[in-house]
C-alpha cells in the first residue's frame, strides 16, 4: 500500500497529534518536536491531513510502488526489457545448449544424438527432462553394441559417455571348402590340423589353387610360402614453395548451441593459396562461442625437389604398403630402384616375404 510522509508545523504539536487521532487518521511513525510533528499515513488520508486545523504542511513525500512507477513515466520499456533479460537468463541457464558424445567407435555419434532426440532430450530441453536411469536403459536397448552409458550435465552442456562391448575373439572353425592360396608363392611348410594338405615344401602355387582339402570335419591349417611383391609409387619433382604472405582476412562466427551465425560472406574461393588458423573462444557463464578463422594468403613459386629426398619419402610409403599387405608374415629381403622420367620420381619395391597364404572359406557367403 502506498504511503505519504507529512511534516506539519504547529504551535501546539501535541494537540495537533491528538486531533488527528480523534479524526480517525491512521498515523504511524509519529515524531513530535517543539514546533512540528512528522508521520506517515496511507495515501487515501492525504486530504484529511492537509485540512487539519491549526497546522500547516511543511513537507509532503510519497512512497510505494505506484509512486515509483509514476515517477518513471515513459521508462516502462526499461523495466520490460529488464524483466525480459532476466527471463532469458533463467531460460539459458536451465536448458541444454550442446550435446557431446565421447567413447563411441562403431556406433556413430549422430545416431546416439538422434536416439536422445527421439527420447525427448535435445537442444533447448530443460534440465529436469534428463532422467539418467531411464535414458541409460532406453539407449542400451536401442544400441546393442553399447555396454555402458552415462549422462553428465556440466553447465549447459550434456556429455554422453559410452563404452562399447568388447567382442569375443573369433573362433576359426574348420572350413567346409578347401583352403586355397590367396596369391602366388613357393611352399615352405604345410600343416593341416583338419583335412589333408595336398602341397609340400618346394611346390609352386597360383592364386586360387587348393592347399588343404577338407575331411568329414572340414579343412583347417596353415600353409607358409615364399611370396614376391613388386610395388611402385611416384611423385613430381617440381612442386610449389611458399614464399611470403600477401594479405590476411578474419572471419568471425557466433555459435549458439548447434547453430552457427556467420558475420561474413563466404569468400574463401577467391583466394588462391592460403593458410587457415582457427581459434574458438567460449563466453563465460553462457552457452556461446566466438569462432575466428584467420585466412593468410601467400605467394608460391615453383621449386624442384631433391631426387634423393623424394625417393626417401616414396620408400617409406612403399614399406608401409607392404606391411599392410602381409598376412601373418615377415619380410625376408627387399630392394628399391629409383628412376626419373617426365618430371616424376618413380620408386619400385621388390620384396621377398614369408607369409601364410591360406585363405579360408567365408561362411557368411552361404546365403548368397
Amino acid at each position: 500500500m502506498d504511503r505519504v510522509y507529512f511534516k506539519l508545523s504547529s504551535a501546539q504539536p501535541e494537540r495537533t497529534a491528538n486531533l488527528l487521532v480523534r479524526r480517525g487518521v491512521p498515523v504511524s511513525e509519529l515524531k513530535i518536536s517543539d514546533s512540528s510533528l512528522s508521520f506517515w499515513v496511507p495515501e487515501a488520508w492525504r486530504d484529511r491531513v492537509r485540512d487539519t486545523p491549526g497546522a500547516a504542511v511543511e513537507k509532503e513525500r510519497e512512497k510505494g510502488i505506484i509512486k515509483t512507477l509514476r515517477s518513471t513515466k515513459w521508462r516502462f520499456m526499461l523495466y520490460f526489457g529488464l524483466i525480459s533479460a532476466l527471463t532469458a537468463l533463467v531460460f539459458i541457464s536451465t536448458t541444454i545448449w550442446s550435446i557431446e558424445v565421447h567413447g563411441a567407435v562403431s556406433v556413430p555419434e549422430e545416431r546416439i544424438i538422434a536416439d536422445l532426440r527421439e527420447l525427448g532430450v535435445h537442444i533447448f530441453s530443460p534440465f529436469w527432462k534428463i532422467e539418467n536411469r531411464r535414458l541409460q536403459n532406453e539407449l542400451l536397448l536401442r544400441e546393442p553394441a553399447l555396454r555402458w552409458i552415462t549422462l553428465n550435465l556440466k553447465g549447459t552442456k550434456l556429455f554422453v559417455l559410452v563404452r562399447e562391448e568388447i567382442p569375443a575373439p573369433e573362433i576359426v572353425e574348420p572350413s567346409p571348402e578347401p583352403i586355397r592360396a590367396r596369391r602366388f608363392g613357393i611352399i615352405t611348410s604345410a600343416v593341416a590340423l583338419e583335412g589333408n594338405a595336398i602341397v609340400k615344401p618346394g611346390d609352386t602355387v597360383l592364386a586360387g589353387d587348393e592347399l588343404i582339402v577338407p575331411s568329414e570335419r572340414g579343412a583347417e591349417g596353415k600353409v607358409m610360402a615364399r611370396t614376391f611383391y613388386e610395388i611402385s609409387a611416384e611423385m613430381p619433382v617440381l612442386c610449389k614453395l611458399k614464399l611470403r604472405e600477401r594479405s590476411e582476412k578474419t572471419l568471425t562466427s557466433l555459435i549458439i548451441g548447434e547453430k552457427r551465425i556467420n558475420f561474413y560472406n563466404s569468400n574463401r574461393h577467391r583466394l588462391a593459396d592460403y593458410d587457415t588458423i582457427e581459434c574458438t573462444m567460449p563466453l563465460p557463464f553462457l552457452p556461446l562461442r566466438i569462432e575466428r578463422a584467420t585466412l593468410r594468403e601467400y605467394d608460391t613459386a615453383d621449386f624442384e625437389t631433391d631426387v634423393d629426398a623424394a625417393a626417401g619419402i616414396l620408400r617409406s610409403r612403399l614399406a608401409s604398403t607392404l606391411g599392410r599387405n602381409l598376412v601373418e608374415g615377415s619380410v625376408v629381403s627387399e630392394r628399391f630402384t629409383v628412376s626419373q622420367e617426365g618430371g616424376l620420381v618413380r620408386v619400385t619395391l621388390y620384396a621377398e616375404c614369408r607369409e601364410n597364404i591360406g585363405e579360408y572359406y567365408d561362411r557368411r557367403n552361404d546365403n548368397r
Side-chain angles (χ1 to χ4, degrees), residues 193-344:
L193 301 178
E194 294 289 347
N196 300 310
I198 60 175
V199 294
K200 60 183 183 299
D203 290 348
T204 300
V205 295
L206 300 176
D209 288 351
E210 294 183 356
L211 303 177
I212 300 176
V213 295
S215 61
E216 293 182 357
R217 298 181 58 182
E220 182 181 359
K222 179 181 292 187
V223 179
M224 303 297 293
R226 294 169 57 197
T227 56
F228 305 89
Y229 289 84
E230 180 180 343
I231 312 173
S232 298
E234 58 187 22
M235 67 180 295
V237 177
L238 197 63
C239 59
K240 297 288 185 180
L241 177 66
K242 184 191 302 184
L243 292 181
R244 62 182 181 276
E245 296 179 355
R246 292 176 51 191
S247 61
E248 181 176 303
K249 296 182 179 180
T250 301
L251 310 180
T252 304
S253 303
L254 177 64
I255 302 176
I256 306 175
E258 296 181 346
K259 305 297 183 181
R260 172 188 293 269
I261 302 175
N262 296 328
F263 299 103
Y264 59 88
N265 294 323
S266 181
N267 56 358
R268 300 191 183 199
H269 64 278
R270 300 178 184 177
L271 305 178
D273 300 293
Y274 62 92
D275 292 328
T276 302
I277 303 173
E278 295 185 351
C279 176
T280 302
M281 181 181 64
L283 297 181
F285 309 110
L286 292 175
L288 307 176
R289 291 178 293 160
I290 296 178
E291 184 179 276
R292 289 190 175 93
T294 303
L295 309 183
R296 294 179 179 174
E297 189 177 11
Y298 55 83
D299 292 326
T300 59
D302 293 335
F303 174 74
E304 188 172 349
T305 307
D306 181 69
V307 176
D308 293 337
I313 296 173
L314 294 175
R315 287 192 189 98
S316 178
R317 293 178 182 175
L318 290 174
S320 298
T321 302
L322 178 61
R324 290 193 298 268
N325 290 336
L326 286 179
V327 179
E328 296 185 45
S330 60
V331 179
V332 176
S333 64
E334 59 183 10
R335 178 173 59 88
F336 295 93
T337 62
V338 182
S339 62
Q340 183 177 356
E341 183 180 356
L344 296 175

Side-chain angles (χ1 to χ4, degrees), residues 13-271:
E14 292 84 356
R15 182 178 179 182
T16 303
N18 292 332
L19 182 59
L20 289 171
V21 173
R22 288 198 300 269
R23 299 180 69 183
V25 178
V27 177
S28 61
E29 300 181 30
L30 177 63
K31 296 180 182 179
I32 301 176
S33 62
D34 294 338
S35 60
S36 64
L37 67 160
S38 59
F39 50 87
W40 289 90
V41 296
E43 196 273 339
W45 295 87
R46 181 198 300 264
D47 295 337
R48 183 70 64 89
V49 174
R50 288 175 179 172
D51 297 337
T52 303
V57 177
E58 286 187 7
K59 190 173 183 181
E60 180 179 344
R61 185 175 75 248
E62 296 181 6
K63 180 180 180 181
I65 186 170
I66 302 300
K67 163 64 178 177
T68 303
L69 292 177
R70 189 184 297 122
S71 63
T72 59
K73 296 181 180 178
W74 56 272
R75 286 180 287 180
F76 283 108
M77 292 302 297
L78 176 63
Y79 290 99
F80 177 76
L82 180 61
I83 295 174
S84 300
L86 291 176
T87 304
L89 182 60
V90 172
F91 172 77
I92 290 174
S93 60
T94 57
T95 54
I96 300 172
W97 282 76
S98 62
I99 300 175
E100 291 187 7
V101 180
H102 297 273
V105 179
S106 61
V107 181
E109 297 180 7
E110 294 78 10
R111 197 164 76 190
I112 297 176
I113 294 176
D115 290 339
L116 284 173
R117 188 180 299 112
E118 293 178 2
L119 295 172
V121 178
H122 49 79
I123 302 300
F124 303 136
S125 292
F127 291 168
W128 52 84
K129 277 195 173 183
I130 303 176
E131 301 175 18
N132 208 326
R133 182 66 63 182
R134 179 184 68 85
L135 293 173
Q136 289 176 6
N137 295 334
E138 291 284 353
L139 288 174
L140 290 175
L141 290 175
R142 289 169 176 257
E143 304 295 343
L146 300 181
R147 185 175 184 86
W148 176 82
I149 299 175
T150 187
L151 290 84
N152 294 335
L153 191 62
K154 186 176 181 180
T156 57
K157 182 178 292 187
L158 179 64
F159 293 92
V160 183
L161 308 180
V162 302
R163 294 293 181 271
E164 297 186 359
E165 186 174 4
I166 300 176
E170 183 180 0
I171 299 176
V172 179
E173 298 181 356
S175 171
E177 297 291 331
I179 297 177
R180 301 178 183 274
R182 289 185 297 102
R183 57 180 297 111
F184 164 80
I186 301 174
I187 305 299
T188 59
S189 67
V191 179
L193 301 178
E194 294 289 347
N196 300 310
I198 60 175
V199 294
K200 60 183 183 299
D203 290 348
T204 300
V205 295
L206 300 176
D209 288 351
E210 294 183 356
L211 303 177
I212 300 176
V213 295
S215 61
E216 293 182 357
R217 298 181 58 182
E220 182 181 359
K222 179 181 292 187
V223 179
M224 303 297 293
R226 294 169 57 197
T227 56
F228 305 89
Y229 289 84
E230 180 180 343
I231 312 173
S232 298
E234 58 187 22
M235 67 180 295
V237 177
L238 197 63
C239 59
K240 297 288 185 180
L241 177 66
K242 184 191 302 184
L243 292 181
R244 62 182 181 276
E245 296 179 355
R246 292 176 51 191
S247 61
E248 181 176 303
K249 296 182 179 180
T250 301
L251 310 180
T252 304
S253 303
L254 177 64
I255 302 176
I256 306 175
E258 296 181 346
K259 305 297 183 181
R260 172 188 293 269
I261 302 175
N262 296 328
F263 299 103
Y264 59 88
N265 294 323
S266 181
N267 56 358
R268 300 191 183 199
H269 64 278
R270 300 178 184 177
L271 305 178

